[in-house]
Amino acid sequence: MADTAATGLIYELKDARPSPDPIHDYNPDLTGVPLIIDNGSYNCRVGWATDKEPRIIFRNCYAKHRKDRGKKIAAETEILVANDITNIEAVRFQLKSPHDENVITHFEAQETLLDYTFSHLGINTPQVEHPIVLTEAFCNPNYSRQLMSELMFECYQVPSVSYCVDGLLSYHRNNPKRHDGLLINIGNYTTHIMPILEGYADAMNSRRIRMGGAHLTKFLWRWLQLRFPQHLNAITLSRAEEIIHNHMYIAEDYMDAISKWTDVNFYEKYVQKIQLPFVAAPVSTVSVEQQRERRKEAAKRLVELNARKREEKLLEDEAELKHLMELEEALEEFTPDEPEYQHALEEAEVSSPQELSKKITNLQQRIEKTRQKMLQASSATTEEEEPRPKKLCEDLSPKKRADMEQWVEGVKQQWREIQARRSARRQKRQEMAKRRTAASQERMRIISQLARREKKDDNFGMRDEDWDVYKAINKEGGGSDSEEENEKLQELESALRQHSPEFLGDNTSNKPTSIAENYQIHLSTEQIRIGELLFQPYMYGLEQGGITATIQYVLGLYDAKTQSKLVGNVFLTGGSASLPGLKARIEKDLLAMRPFQSHFSVKLAK
């Protein structure tokens, strides 16, 4: 197993942001010097033939950003290419790439990226007066090459273009004297197994696997989102790429490595914890005494506010009572037939003198109650009493100091019993979710018996026997913790925190001790599962052979002598070839498939 983990370490994501590419000055001495463009589907590397390292390296994609979006005026479109995109996740679904997998098909996007390339190399003339060395896909379709040549000659008027395969260039650079070998090129979207004989690739017997670094990234991204749904938005493709580059490796024996993770001690030793970014809640610096004073002030303000409202309401009621009594006196001076009599009833919003008297009586009673409340509030003491702590429970408070230890032990026992019942319910729910457990099978047996009964009407539940069946199905399964039990547990924990805090510390070690732990993802089998996709693509859903199976198939197309030449120089190249453990895995698989005591050599690109 690769020594990539350390016990107790927590890894933080860097979330590195790209810096814009510099615009180089054009040197007249470079006139006629070939320009090399490694036009990969992930990164594009550009430089002069006289350079030891590429001048610029950028992500081979761009996005169109519309300024002043939402305004009535026509929005100005800004093109952000590669490293000019500071936050690629914000425009992830607007990215445009010239590649369809590893073949160039979108030449409008290719022209945009070439304009970016030439301008950053300082070439500002309409004509690019430099020969171009351009990489392309292995066995690139003629139609794609034809359109690329048309773009180069007619748009940029280059003097000449030479096409090549990046994997073959890497092979010849690292093996200048070895003309025979087996090239394994692991790209971003594809993996090629290419036999090389006398310095040339045998295209007829080469094979391609539609599995590369992009598939590994996407698989890990969706896997982590499904495993940690609470962090769905925090797990992005960019972070999945970073995790693959820093925490993934390839196991020599996948099944043996997977079986080791069933051991709890092994898991605790080699699990890798990735800390996701989070915003911590502000820590309160207010002391307990200050909080108590603030509560007192808030309560005092509330009392004053209620008193003001009560006084305002009393004044309104007294004014209304006075008005109604005046109307009642006025009614005595008129007869029911006179219009002033009806006008007075309408003004009082009643239909008869009896209803008016009843309304006056109710209003007098309400005024009397309000005055009594105001009297009680004014006669109450102005000194605030210290808030009494909540009574936990009558039977939880020790009456004598000698009974303290015995009482605390009783509280601990009650706490253990409640936790045991909750744990049993959780275990039962887990068993119900599994198909082959006894609890799940018993549940399905009862349900199937009910389904076999022939009933004309669906009247299940009307008889007492039906409820017995229902209880049998749901017996201790799927039930949630009751509110009464939760309240009891809170009371017990409050008492234990006061009288035996070390007990809760010892028995709640499995609970998160900080907010940061709630924002961590744990990598266990993912460390080897992701790289295994290169050898078992069916795990991704592809009905293709992996690297080992394809190597065995390609070698089977040659005689024994040629096979020995090929395996004598197995060369690994490509971005994903840097995964730790790949070379050892290829050597192990070759040892298993080759004849006894036969020679082979595996080499990794520098």
Side-chain angles (χ1 to χ4, degrees):
M1 175 179 178
D3 295 332
T4 58
T7 306
L9 285 182
I10 298 176
Y11 302 89
E12 294 197 6
L13 295 171
K14 297 179 181 179
D15 285 339
R17 299 294 179 91
S19 56
D21 293 316
I23 299 178
H24 298 274
D25 295 329
Y26 184 76
N27 189 349
D29 296 337
L30 295 173
T31 303
V33 175
L35 181 61
I36 300 175
I37 303 176
D38 183 7
N39 196 22
S41 59
Y42 183 78
N43 275 341
C44 182
R45 302 173 180 85
V46 184
W48 302 104
T50 55
D51 296 335
K52 292 185 178 181
E53 298 291 337
R55 287 284 179 101
I56 53 176
I57 300 175
F58 58 90
R59 187 79 173 264
N60 212 348
C61 60
Y62 73 95
K64 290 184 178 180
H65 175 67
R66 295 182 62 187
K67 294 183 177 179
D68 302 325
R69 186 186 297 272
K71 295 186 178 180
K72 294 183 179 180
I73 59 173
E76 180 184 352
T77 302
E78 178 186 14
I79 296 179
L80 301 176
V81 178
N83 294 338
D84 292 339
I85 306 174
T86 56
N87 184 8
I88 197 170
E89 293 301 328
V91 294
R92 171 68 67 178
F93 298 103
Q94 302 175 18
L95 293 178
K96 298 182 183 295
S97 170
H99 291 83
D100 185 359
E101 291 195 350
N102 63 330
V103 178
I104 297 177
T105 56
H106 309 287
F107 286 90
E108 180 182 354
Q110 183 63 63
E111 182 178 353
T112 301
L113 292 170
L114 287 175
D115 289 343
Y116 178 86
T117 299
F118 295 141
S119 63
H120 279 69
L121 289 176
I123 303 175
N124 297 320
T125 58
Q127 181 177 358
V128 180
E129 298 178 349
H130 294 271
I132 303 294
V133 179
L134 184 66
T135 61
E136 64 176 7
F138 183 60
C139 295
N140 191 36
N142 288 332
Y143 181 72
S144 177
R145 180 182 289 184
Q146 176 186 350
L147 291 178
M148 178 61 78
S149 299
E150 181 179 333
L151 178 65
M152 286 292 183
F153 289 118
E154 296 189 9
C155 183
Y156 299 103
Q157 301 177 14
V158 299
S160 61
V161 178
S162 176
Y163 296 101
C164 55
V165 178
D166 55 352
L168 292 174
L169 291 179
S170 176
Y171 175 86
H172 290 294
R173 176 69 178 83
N174 288 269
N175 297 276
K177 299 181 181 179
R178 303 288 296 272
H179 301 296
D180 299 324
L182 186 66
L183 172 61
I184 303 175
N185 185 14
I186 307 175
N188 191 39
Y189 284 101
T190 58
T191 298
H192 286 90
I193 311 296
M194 291 182 280
I196 299 176
L197 297 172
E198 297 181 359
Y200 294 92
D202 187 357
M204 291 294 295
N205 292 328
S206 298
R207 292 296 180 269
R208 181 185 66 184
I209 308 170
R210 295 186 62 184
M211 176 64 65
H215 300 89
L216 305 187
T217 303
K218 186 177 180 181
F219 185 85
L220 178 63
W221 173 56
R222 291 297 296 139
W223 178 278
L224 293 178
Q225 284 187 331
L226 290 172
R227 187 180 171 194
F228 303 97
Q230 68 274 25
H231 304 308
L232 187 71
N233 296 327
I235 300 173
T236 61
L237 278 170
S238 299
R239 288 172 179 164
E241 288 178 6
E242 182 179 342
I243 291 173
I244 285 181
H245 293 158
N246 298 325
H247 304 283
M248 300 291 120
Y249 67 95
I250 296 176
E252 291 188 27
D253 189 335
Y254 177 69
M255 296 307 298
D256 180 63
I258 282 288
S259 63
K260 292 180 180 179
W261 285 98
T262 59
D263 183 13
V264 177
N265 295 329
F266 184 90
Y267 178 91
E268 294 294 337
K269 183 177 181 180
Y270 290 105
V271 66
Q272 296 194 18
K273 301 176 182 179
I274 309 298
Q275 181 65 60
L276 296 175
F278 69 97
V279 178
V283 180
S284 176
T285 57
V286 182
S287 63
V288 178
E289 290 75 12
Q290 291 175 332
Q291 292 178 0
R292 188 178 296 115
E293 290 297 327
R294 289 183 179 182
R295 283 196 296 268
K296 287 182 180 180
E297 292 176 1
K300 186 176 180 181
R301 286 195 299 268
L302 185 60
V303 170
E304 293 174 354
L305 180 62
N306 290 335
R308 282 198 302 269
K309 288 183 177 179
R310 200 177 288 119
E311 290 175 0
E312 293 172 359
K313 184 64 175 174
L314 180 61
L315 293 175
E316 292 177 1
D317 290 345
E318 288 177 344
E320 185 180 0
L321 178 62
K322 182 180 179 182
H323 179 63
L324 292 177
M325 293 182 70
E326 291 176 354
L327 289 176
E328 188 179 26
E329 293 176 358
L331 286 176
E332 297 177 355
E333 301 176 1
F334 302 103
T335 61
D337 297 334
E338 294 183 16
E340 289 81 359
Y341 186 89
Q342 295 297 330
H343 179 71
L345 291 178
E346 291 176 0
E347 188 175 351
E349 298 180 353
V350 294
S351 58
S352 64
Q354 294 79 10
E355 190 174 345
L356 178 61
S357 300
K358 185 178 180 180
K359 188 173 183 180
I360 291 174
T361 303
N362 293 338
L363 194 56
Q364 288 174 342
Q365 292 176 355
R366 190 165 66 191
I367 291 173
E368 185 62 28
K369 288 182 180 179
T370 304
R371 286 174 177 168
Q372 290 179 1
K373 290 182 180 178
M374 293 176 64
L375 185 62
Q376 292 175 0
S378 61
S379 62
T381 178
T382 57
E383 296 182 358
E384 291 285 340
E385 292 185 359
E386 192 70 17
R388 297 176 60 188
K390 290 185 179 180
K391 294 181 68 176
L392 301 179
C393 199
E394 294 297 329
D395 57 338
L396 293 184
S397 301
K399 296 180 180 180
K400 297 180 181 179
R401 198 166 188 82
D403 299 333
M404 175 67 74
E405 294 183 2
Q406 183 180 357
W407 174 79
V408 170
E409 286 299 325
V411 174
K412 291 179 181 179
Q413 184 61 30
Q414 294 181 49
W415 186 89
R416 293 191 190 98
E417 291 174 356
I418 294 178
Q419 291 291 355
R421 289 197 296 269
R422 292 160 69 102
S423 178
R425 281 196 293 270
R426 285 194 295 268
Q427 182 67 24
K428 193 71 173 180
R429 286 195 292 268
Q430 292 175 0
E431 291 180 358
M432 284 294 187
K434 298 178 182 178
R435 293 178 55 189
R436 299 187 180 277
T437 59
S440 180
Q441 291 177 0
E442 177 65 16
R443 179 186 177 92
M444 293 306 300
R445 185 187 67 80
I446 298 175
I447 293 176
S448 62
Q449 286 181 354
L450 292 174
R452 283 199 299 268
R453 294 182 183 178
E454 296 181 1
K455 291 185 178 182
K456 295 181 181 179
D457 299 324
D458 187 8
N459 56 2
F460 181 81
M462 298 180 64
R463 301 176 301 173
D464 294 338
E465 307 89 78
D466 296 338
W467 288 103
D468 294 336
V469 175
Y470 178 80
K471 291 177 183 177
I473 294 176
N474 291 276
K475 185 179 179 181
E476 296 184 3
S480 59
D481 303 330
S482 65
E483 293 183 6
E484 186 178 323
E485 189 179 75
N486 289 334
E487 292 177 0
K488 181 72 172 178
L489 190 63
Q490 290 177 3
E491 291 178 357
L492 296 173
E493 289 182 350
S494 298
L496 290 173
R497 271 194 291 270
Q498 183 178 356
H499 300 288
S500 182
E502 70 281 355
F503 175 79
L504 287 178
D506 296 338
N507 288 275
T508 58
S509 57
N510 58 338
K511 296 182 181 180
T513 57
S514 65
I515 300 178
E517 290 190 14
N518 293 329
Y519 292 87
Q520 289 177 2
I521 57 178
H522 293 190
L523 301 178
S524 54
T525 58
E526 294 85 3
Q527 300 177 42
I528 56 176
R529 191 186 302 272
I530 303 305
E532 190 64 21
L533 296 178
L534 296 172
F535 296 87
Q536 302 185 49
Y538 72 86
M539 294 167 59
Y540 188 85
L542 294 178
E543 296 182 357
Q544 294 185 354
I547 292 179
T548 302
T550 307
I551 290 176
Q552 190 170 8
Y553 176 81
V554 170
L555 292 178
L557 301 176
Y558 297 95
D559 54 41
K561 184 177 180 181
T562 307
Q563 289 182 18
S564 299
K565 290 182 180 179
L566 295 176
V567 298
N569 183 26
V570 178
F571 181 72
L572 305 176
T573 187
S576 299
S578 59
L579 283 174
L582 178 63
K583 181 174 179 291
R585 174 65 178 270
I586 297 293
E587 290 174 343
K588 179 181 179 298
D589 291 343
L590 284 174
L591 182 64
M593 74 174 69
R594 296 297 297 156
F596 180 64
Q597 292 185 343
S598 61
H599 172 73
F600 60 85
S601 174
V602 180
K603 184 179 180 181
L604 192 63
K606 295 180 181 179

